[in-house]
Amino acid sequence: GKVEVNNSPTLKNLLKLGSRYYNDEEYSEAYKTYTKVCELDPDNYVAILRKSVSKVMSEPLTNCNLKPVENAIKNSYKIIQKNKGTKNDLNLAISECNNQVIKIYEKLVNDYNQKMAYSNEINSFMNSLLSCLTILEYLNSIVIDDKQMEIAIVQNILAVINSILSPKTYLSSSVNNYNASITLRYNLPAKQRKEMFAKREYYKGKLLELDDNYKQSEIIKQSNEKASTEKELIIAFSIAFGIVIIIVFLAMLSILFS
């Protein structure tokens, strides 16, 4: 929407303008506005964070570089510590970071799902997902005494890990010198995949400790899986028993008529 501000670019007006652009997803304008805010107020960690996110979101994510976002988060943490910010200040910053990283993650996944990626894009996509995971793990390491915040971050970590581990396909162009393409399956390197499975189990365990609702759902899930397995075993045993009975019956008939 159209935004009206005073002619003088005061910090208050710029923050209001930046917030409007940011919430309206006009990221190019948000980036410019938060750049000005950072010039006037270098310790404004919200502006630092949103500037870095706006930069990423205003460009094509095929060559997404999340290092500036990671650096902005770490700088924000240092600023809060330097200014002797409260625990609440830190957790508010972490909440902002968590929300913005997931916004980037969702856009990455949406862009990937909307069009088939080529080989150079799939590597960039996977690297961006791994960067999202690195940032979320960092946030999880600095959150202080906020159980709900920690649950939200761990849930997001698991969502990203599941995306990393999920099967993916991509296109390889110019096959055999023809202007054609074939669909290939992407796989993480074996060592990295093993590490990712281990991370998933670790964070599942952490979520079980933190979230009673998740714990209850996992108990129900495991109970259903157990019941399903038992049912399959009963069916398999019944079939095997029936086959044995038939074999014995046929054997007895053979003896009787021999």
Side-chain angles (χ1 to χ4, degrees), residues 215-227:
K215 185 175 183 180
Q216 190 63 33
S217 69
E218 283 296 296
I219 290 171
I220 294 170
K221 181 181 174 183
Q222 289 173 11
S223 177
N224 290 338
E225 288 175 353
K226 183 180 178 183

Side-chain angles (χ1 to χ4, degrees), residues 112 116-118 122 166-171 183-186:
Y112 171 78
M116 182 66 75
Y118 283 92
I122 193 71
S166 66
K168 294 175 186 67
T169 56
Y170 65 97
L171 295 175
T183 302
L184 302 174
R185 183 183 175 90
Y186 178 88

Side-chain angles (χ1 to χ4, degrees), residues 102-136:
I102 286 304
K103 185 176 282 191
I104 293 170
Y105 159 72
E106 288 173 347
K107 191 172 190 302
L108 278 165
V109 173
N110 185 58
D111 284 0
Y112 171 78
N113 289 335
Q114 283 188 355
K115 71 179 186 69
M116 182 66 75
Y118 283 92
S119 54
N120 62 321
E121 295 173 328
I122 193 71
N123 288 323
S124 176
F125 173 66
M126 291 302 297
N127 287 335
S128 296
L129 288 182
L130 290 167
S131 294
C132 285
L133 179 60
T134 298
I135 294 170
L136 289 170

Side-chain angles (χ1 to χ4, degrees), residues 166-183:
S166 66
K168 294 175 186 67
T169 56
Y170 65 97
L171 295 175
S172 177
S173 59
S174 301
V175 180
N176 296 328
N177 296 320
Y178 290 99
N179 187 18
S181 62
I182 59 172
T183 302

